[in-house]
Amino acid sequence: MTRIVVVGNGMAGARLVSEIRARDRHVGLTVFGAEHGQPYNRVLLSNVVAGTMPPDQVRLLDPAWYADHSVTAVPGVEVVAVDRESQFVITATGRREPYDVLVLATGSEAVVPPIPGAERAVTFRTMDDCHAILRAAGSARRAVVVGGGLLGIEAARGLAGRGLPVTLLHLAGHLMDRQLDAEAGLVLGQTLGGLGVDIRTGVVIEEITDGGVRLTGDETVEADLVVLACGIRPVTALARDAGLEVARGIVVDDEMRTDDPSIFAIGECAEHRGRVYGLVAPAWEQAAVVADLVTGTDKTARYRGSRLVTRLKAKSVELAAMGETHLTEDDAEVVRFSHRATGTYRKLVIRDGRLVGVILLGETSTVGNLTQLFDRGGPLPGDRAGLLFPGLSGGTVAESPVRMPDAARVCQCNNVTKGQIRACWESGARDVAAVAAATRATTGCGGCHDAVEGIVDWLCEQEGVSA
């Protein structure tokens, strides 16, 4: 019997284990997780900070699942070495676990910048971090979040939602500078300001003190809770120490295989074609490929890379961005609409008649249709404005379920189309929970929940049945 060992029981590792068991009930399967407890959906941790979702609701797999599916799960035990010659992994407790196939899903870790006093702050990356933030927030009078990327914004919005005054500090000139252009960053900042988050961009931090954060110019932003959300880096030490090829991440080919044919790597620790992905959808796509290969279900399975849609998970803030969003009229055809008073910004970037970049801020109902055009790279209709405002013209892109093609991807994280949701409905799934159980739609970032619910409700209305 083939012995498969998975190192890492986060979103990538847990998904891989479930994908393998969906294909093969008998292969030997052991998974080690450095964190205590069961795997959880890291994407939804901002909801835990905000208090809109209890920790147990973000759990991915419960203990009974492992027993029911003959999976040996070893939580809270770190793997510290790989003996490639004898094909064993070695844990911090001295356990030696043999493998025929090893999959590294070690994920990433929070970046802590070299700021004096950084040890006084809390990072925002894990469930333990969430618990630490919540404990501190209970008695804090003011909070500072350092970092204006996805995680920083989500942490700041979550704390503000608890009624805590929050200041968000960001080194760059505008928020989410990797995904957004300057105007979108400005509109986003104004939206967050209206939700209780004070935005400070273009600032340099000199020190974190007991009284707050000291900036260049000797200004201090007062706070008794400082949260660091300064990015992530792949966890690669285990692979590097084992002699595997490591660049920014663990280097893999289209099979997600390292330079050791017995060892694969997936998720945020893996580097594929020079790229490391920090989002969940690519990790889950990679997990499906590896599951096909190691079980022999599809020996031709290959990972070709992912076209990403970045979604912000912050209450009362809708944002989606994809592709080459920073291009200007000098480089491409750009269609944009900005209305700062309503927190609305929409931008399409078109090159050679193809959609290569999108920003939607403030209202994102068209994201499914635009994502389909972005993914397929097909020709666009001549009415560009109709792409941004399909309800105001005779545009060919539809917002409503009745006109949405079955091939339209509704859930980006799990690659679920409208046609798959329809098929589930026809098989008896009459609500979002049933569709989620069958397809996993809504179980990633949760951003597609309203769209899935709308499709289910529409199908019920068409057939005159109760949802």
Side-chain angles (χ1 to χ4, degrees):
M1 179 175 67
T2 301
R3 299 166 298 183
I4 300 174
V5 172
V6 180
V7 178
N9 200 22
M11 295 189 74
R15 182 59 164 254
L16 174 65
V17 168
S18 64
E19 293 277 6
I20 289 174
R21 271 295 175 256
R23 293 160 173 77
D24 190 324
R25 290 279 300 182
H26 305 293
V27 63
L29 194 51
T30 301
V31 56
F32 292 91
E35 290 187 62
H36 292 277
Q38 301 307 310
Y40 54 87
N41 188 334
R42 199 182 305 276
V43 176
L44 300 178
L45 289 182
S46 59
N47 294 341
V48 176
V49 171
T52 60
M53 187 175 287
D56 60 354
Q57 282 191 13
V58 303
R59 189 169 57 190
L60 291 172
L61 297 172
D62 60 42
W65 185 92
Y66 294 98
D68 293 344
H69 292 81
S70 301
V71 175
T72 301
V74 190
V77 176
E78 183 182 4
V79 172
V80 295
V82 178
D83 183 338
R84 290 169 54 191
E85 183 176 352
S86 301
Q87 295 196 197
F88 281 87
V89 298
I90 304 166
T91 72
T93 61
R95 175 172 173 171
R96 295 173 61 86
E97 185 72 25
Y99 68 84
D100 299 304
V101 173
L102 173 63
V103 184
L104 301 178
T106 49
S108 57
E109 61 187 359
V111 172
V112 178
I115 301 171
E119 70 279 359
R120 295 184 172 94
V122 182
T123 55
F124 178 49
R125 178 65 183 160
T126 68
M127 183 66 77
D128 285 346
D129 291 339
C130 281
H131 292 318
I133 291 170
L134 293 177
R135 285 194 300 270
S139 58
R141 297 183 304 276
R142 292 194 59 86
V144 163
V145 175
V146 179
L150 278 172
L151 286 178
I153 292 171
E154 290 171 4
R157 176 66 186 103
L159 290 170
R162 289 181 170 271
L164 190 64
V166 180
T167 300
L168 178 62
L169 304 178
H170 190 47
L171 176 63
H174 66 270
L175 298 177
M176 290 182 63
D177 49 289
R178 292 186 179 182
Q179 296 89 5
L180 304 182
D181 60 18
E183 175 68 11
L186 179 61
V187 175
L188 175 59
Q190 291 185 335
T191 298
L192 291 168
L195 296 170
V197 180
D198 180 30
I199 305 296
R200 299 283 303 276
T201 57
V203 296
V204 177
I205 296 173
E206 294 289 343
E207 184 182 9
I208 298 174
T209 70
D210 288 335
V213 178
R214 184 168 61 83
L215 308 179
T216 297
D218 211 28
E219 175 189 359
T220 295
V221 181
E222 293 184 2
D224 36 22
L225 167 60
V226 179
V227 177
L228 296 178
C230 303
I232 57 176
R233 67 167 64 92
V235 176
T236 59
L238 184 65
R240 182 180 286 107
D241 291 346
L244 299 174
E245 183 182 358
V246 174
R248 183 172 167 226
I250 305 168
V251 177
V252 295
D253 59 17
D254 287 358
E255 293 184 337
M256 302 307 297
R257 202 184 299 264
T258 68
D259 50 339
D260 183 325
S262 299
I263 303 178
F264 298 79
I266 63 171
E268 293 176 342
C269 68
E271 179 175 329
H272 174 261
R273 297 187 183 182
R275 187 169 186 181
V276 176
Y277 295 95
L279 298 175
V280 63
W284 287 353
E285 292 170 12
Q286 294 165 5
V289 169
V290 172
D292 280 338
L293 292 171
V294 300
T295 62
T297 302
D298 180 3
K299 295 182 179 180
T300 68
R302 298 293 184 272
Y303 177 69
R304 306 298 186 187
S306 298
R307 293 169 68 84
L308 299 181
V309 179
T310 300
R311 301 293 295 263
L312 179 63
K313 282 73 65 180
K315 186 179 179 182
S316 303
V317 184
E318 291 191 62
L319 171 65
M322 64 193 86
E324 301 176 69
T325 57
H326 290 86
L327 295 183
T328 67
E329 285 83 355
D330 294 333
D331 309 301
E333 177 188 351
V334 177
V335 183
R336 75 177 90 222
F337 171 83
S338 180
H339 191 196
R340 297 182 186 179
T342 60
T344 302
Y345 183 76
R346 302 183 183 189
K347 178 180 181 180
L348 304 181
V349 181
I350 301 165
R351 184 194 289 128
D352 300 325
R354 266 61 176 177
L355 187 63
V356 298
V358 177
I359 298 174
L360 296 175
L361 173 60
E363 200 281 323
T364 59
S365 63
T366 59
V367 66
N369 301 305
L370 292 173
T371 301
Q372 185 182 13
L373 292 171
F374 175 71
D375 283 343
R376 294 184 174 184
L380 302 178
D383 179 15
R384 306 302 205 215
L387 294 172
L388 287 182
F389 303 98
L392 301 180
S393 69
T396 60
V397 178
E399 292 183 87
S400 66
V402 67
R403 296 176 60 201
M404 183 188 295
D406 276 355
R409 189 155 35 142
V410 178
C411 176
Q412 304 299 321
C413 297
N414 290 287
N415 194 26
V416 181
T417 64
K418 177 200 169 185
Q420 291 171 293
I421 295 171
R422 181 200 292 273
C424 286
W425 186 90
E426 291 173 347
S427 297
R430 292 293 187 265
D431 55 28
V432 174
V435 170
T439 67
R440 292 177 170 151
T442 76
T443 64
C445 72
C448 64
H449 182 279
D450 289 347
V452 173
E453 186 175 51
I455 291 170
V456 171
D457 290 346
W458 169 72
L459 288 167
C460 290
E461 290 173 3
Q462 296 300 302
E463 298 298 323
V465 300
S466 300

